[in-house]
Amino acid sequence: RNYSDTETEGEIFNSLVQYFGDNLGQKVKAMPLVEETSLLEDSSVTLPVVVIGNGPSGICLSYMLSGYRPYLSSEAIHPNTILHSKLEEARHLSIVDQDLEYLSEGLEGRSSNPVAVLFDTLLHPDADFGYDYPSVLHWKLEQHHYIPHLVLGKGPPGGAWHNMEGSMLTISFGNWMELPGLKFKDWVSSKRRNLKGDRVMPEEIARYYKHYVKVMGLQKNFRENTYITSVSRLYRDQVDNDGQGRNISTQHLQIEKSTFTKRNWEIRGYQRAGDGSHVPFCLFAENVALATGTLDSPGRLEVEGEDLPFVFHSLPEFGAAVSKGKLRGKVDPVLIVGSGLTAADAVLCAYNNNIPVIHVFRRRVTDPDLIFKQLPKKLYPEYHKVYHMMCTQSYSSDSSLLSDYTSFPEHRVLAFKSDMKCALQNLSGLRRVFKLSAAVVLVGSHPNLSFLKEQGCYLGRNSSLPIACKGNPVEIDAYTYECVKEATLFALGPLVGDNFVRFLKGGALGVTRCLAIRQKKKKHLFVERGGDGMM
């Protein structure tokens, strides 16, 4: 096979030798990556943790698995006096070594996950009340807490942030986007850029995440250009006399499943080389952490004509069409479907480029769950401008479309037609047809969990529906982030309902504490002599 100049197959996992010691060097080198057709028995090394996804969730988890531990700062006084007294009780211990359920008790925040609220409260005390108090934590690198792991991602560290529309400001403040140990403002000033206001461009955040991995010394744990094709359990015979588990045929497994125990994970996929070729690999892990985010598969309306070329399903697609001048001079409006912030960004993109907009959404403009109602007007004026238009410039049967923007509350799309027309329907069943120049469907997105059985649906609170950040997140233990329906499989970030970077960091804390406790319980930290790899 041909390999890229920057990293060959052998180099990809040579760093594993450092993890497991020189005495395991030959084992690691013998099986760094295997062909898809290779026998699984050929592998003799099992990683303690493989993280799938290299966005902020995966980066923060790698940071903590690498041995970085948070402690209460000696001079810090948390504004929550009850929480502060709890922290004082075990000041000598890192937060990872404390009872997260005890610390989280009674705290409230914008996440349904208590550890996420706890960690955010420690990193950004009283942030929701408009205060900018410093973090009460300081971080120590304790290398004896290092847990070997790999973080696999499709692109550079930062995940989907590298693909976001570059012209829009982040919804969160810059300091809310930062990861532990490196203040975003300090990084910006080191790059000699002036930070105008508290909100920043996504491209700045993407660069910050990529730099963070480098400056924190996490590069050895990250592999780019990796695509996962399957993540599955290995079943091993419990009564194997020689002490070494063996793989069981599917037929045998179905017949006598009760005699086997689940052990370890098999992760298969390929790495895209510099010349475009695909290098297959197979890894084995004791634990897998899902940190994929939810931006892989845009939500669809599932209506007639949705695959026509003038119908877009992402903001970058639409933004590219606008920037290339494809919609310049068009008199027909652009149809934008959705009532979230991404749809609002699309409205602003069209509005600022003098493209008339038909804005369709199913909710009432007075719906208390609309995201605009949760954003302070002074901090987010552009989104409140869109919301104001949604309320005041709605379509009336007594008037025609407005010149720049017209909203259609409580409407849905019936169909798109090849002659670039679209049929809409309101709650009473009244239908209207409009001629379009383009359509942009922005109704949320779903994670791509095709590498799991049942597309990962079985992990959700409702196993009959796809995993979704809002409606059907992965069901996890509230304090360890371990999947309720699958032991040693963890999920964090948007997969468990934490869409904002502020709160996804709590997942890293929960997972790290869980794995650290389990590591302590093992008689042998890494090697199981005569066994099938890592314990």
Side-chain angles (χ1 to χ4, degrees):
R1 294 193 300 270
N2 293 323
Y3 303 106
S4 65
D5 294 334
T6 57
E7 193 170 43
T8 68
E9 177 188 20
E11 291 170 337
I12 290 172
F13 292 102
N14 274 349
S15 56
L16 294 179
V17 179
Q18 301 173 21
Y19 296 160
F20 305 136
D22 292 338
N23 61 323
L24 277 182
Q26 294 304 315
K27 285 187 177 182
V28 177
K29 290 178 181 178
M31 183 43 204
L33 265 169
V34 300
E35 295 286 352
E36 290 282 1
T37 56
S38 297
L39 294 176
L40 301 183
E41 289 88 347
D42 292 343
S43 179
S44 58
V45 173
T46 301
L47 281 162
V49 187
V50 167
V51 183
I52 301 176
N54 65 353
S57 294
I59 295 172
C60 191
L61 180 54
S62 177
Y63 177 75
M64 298 189 73
L65 292 179
S66 294
Y68 286 94
R69 290 291 184 265
Y71 288 84
L72 180 65
S73 296
S74 57
E75 70 283 358
I77 300 178
H78 198 283
N80 184 319
T81 55
I82 296 177
L83 176 59
H84 185 76
S85 65
K86 291 180 179 179
L87 295 169
E88 285 283 7
E89 293 171 9
R91 178 182 281 275
H92 62 290
L93 295 177
S94 77
I95 304 301
V96 174
D97 297 315
Q98 298 188 40
D99 186 338
L100 300 184
E101 184 172 0
Y102 173 63
L103 294 178
S104 302
E105 186 179 13
L107 298 179
E108 296 181 354
R110 297 183 184 180
S111 170
S112 59
N113 296 310
V115 178
V117 175
L118 167 65
F119 208 29
D120 178 69
T121 300
L122 297 174
L123 293 169
H124 307 290
D126 283 356
D128 286 334
F129 296 104
Y131 296 105
D132 189 22
Y133 293 136
S135 169
V136 298
L137 302 177
H138 74 282
W139 294 81
K140 296 180 182 179
L141 176 57
E142 298 174 344
Q143 294 181 342
H144 61 283
H145 287 312
Y146 179 83
I147 298 177
H149 62 281
L150 283 178
V151 183
L152 308 179
K154 295 177 181 178
W161 285 93
H162 291 279
N163 302 320
M164 291 186 184
E165 176 64 32
S167 63
M168 305 298 173
L169 293 173
T170 61
I171 191 66
S172 298
F173 298 151
N175 65 319
W176 288 358
M177 312 297 290
E178 68 192 20
L179 298 178
L182 179 62
K183 289 186 176 296
F184 180 77
K185 288 184 178 179
D186 292 345
W187 174 79
V188 169
S189 62
S190 72
K191 298 298 179 182
R192 299 181 180 179
R193 296 188 182 94
N194 294 321
L195 191 61
K196 298 179 180 179
D198 291 315
R199 294 166 62 202
V200 294
M201 304 286 278
E203 62 186 54
E204 291 280 356
I205 297 297
R207 284 199 289 267
Y208 164 81
Y209 290 145
K210 188 174 181 180
H211 176 77
Y212 181 92
V213 169
K214 181 178 180 180
V215 75
M216 294 299 175
L218 309 178
Q219 309 100 307
K220 66 179 180 180
N221 303 314
F222 282 72
R223 297 296 177 266
E224 301 178 18
N225 301 315
T226 57
Y227 297 79
I228 309 301
T229 56
S230 73
V231 174
S232 57
R233 285 282 196 184
L234 294 180
Y235 285 86
R236 302 299 173 114
D237 193 342
Q238 288 181 314
V239 295
D240 193 353
N241 293 327
D242 63 4
Q244 294 193 18
R246 65 178 186 273
N247 295 306
I248 308 299
S249 70
T250 303
Q251 184 178 6
H252 190 185
L253 179 62
Q254 292 172 346
I255 296 173
E256 299 184 39
K257 192 170 182 177
S258 61
T259 65
F260 305 117
T261 183
K262 294 178 180 179
R263 292 213 39 208
N264 299 332
W265 294 93
E266 175 194 83
I267 302 102
R268 287 184 178 270
Y270 63 89
Q271 186 172 41
R272 191 174 59 195
D275 61 1
S277 62
H278 292 172
V279 182
F281 65 81
C282 179
L283 293 174
F284 299 93
E286 293 177 347
N287 303 278
V288 172
L290 303 175
T292 60
T294 62
L295 297 178
D296 289 314
S297 303
R300 295 176 60 86
L301 301 174
E302 303 299 340
V303 299
E304 177 190 346
E306 193 169 1
D307 291 321
L308 289 168
F310 69 91
V311 181
F312 303 111
H313 287 84
S314 74
L315 185 57
E317 271 187 304
F318 176 58
V322 172
S323 64
K324 292 176 182 177
K326 292 183 178 181
L327 303 176
R328 189 173 299 153
K330 297 278 187 178
V331 293
D332 296 321
V334 166
L335 174 74
I336 297 173
V337 186
S339 59
L341 296 178
T342 307
D345 283 338
V347 169
L348 290 168
C349 179
Y351 188 88
N352 293 334
N353 284 277
N354 299 314
I355 301 170
V357 172
I358 292 177
H359 188 188
V360 176
F361 45 96
R362 293 193 176 192
R363 295 177 183 266
R364 294 175 287 111
V365 292
T366 56
D367 190 322
D369 291 330
L370 281 174
I371 184 64
F372 309 101
K373 292 183 174 293
Q374 303 173 32
L375 304 177
K377 289 184 179 180
K378 289 184 179 180
L379 297 178
Y380 304 96
E382 76 280 29
Y383 289 125
H384 279 275
K385 176 182 178 180
V386 173
Y387 181 54
H388 179 73
M389 292 192 300
M390 290 167 65
C391 296
T392 62
Q393 296 179 218
S394 58
Y395 182 81
S396 170
S397 58
D398 299 330
S399 63
S400 59
L401 292 176
L402 301 175
S403 60
D404 54 358
Y405 172 95
T406 309
S407 71
F408 286 78
E410 299 182 277
H411 277 69
R412 66 187 184 97
V413 175
L414 288 179
F416 298 102
K417 300 297 182 180
S418 57
D419 59 358
M420 301 189 73
K421 289 182 179 179
C422 177
L424 307 179
Q425 184 181 55
N426 66 9
L427 290 177
S428 62
L430 183 62
R431 299 185 180 186
R432 298 180 177 89
V433 177
F434 296 97
K435 184 77 164 62
L436 308 175
S437 60
V440 194
V441 178
L442 300 169
V443 291
S445 59
H446 298 289
N448 179 5
L449 298 177
S450 60
F451 50 81
L452 292 172
K453 67 178 182 180
E454 301 175 17
Q455 311 286 309
C457 291
Y458 78 105
L459 299 173
R461 294 176 183 172
N462 186 339
S463 59
S464 64
L465 298 175
I467 299 298
C469 176
K470 292 182 179 179
N472 191 38
V474 173
E475 188 176 10
I476 55 168
D477 179 279
Y479 301 98
T480 66
Y481 285 75
E482 187 172 27
C483 295
V484 170
K485 298 168 185 173
E486 195 73 90
T488 67
L489 181 66
F490 298 81
L492 61 163
L495 290 175
V496 300
D498 286 329
N499 242 346
F500 292 99
V501 176
R502 270 181 65 188
F503 297 110
L504 58 78
K505 290 172 278 194
L509 174 60
V511 174
T512 300
R513 172 166 167 72
C514 178
L515 294 178
I517 290 174
R518 290 179 182 177
Q519 289 285 86
K520 288 179 181 178
K521 290 181 179 179
K522 295 180 179 181
K523 292 181 180 180
H524 304 287
L525 189 58
F526 292 131
V527 181
E528 180 184 23
R529 293 183 180 179
D532 60 348
M534 311 303 289
M535 285 188 67

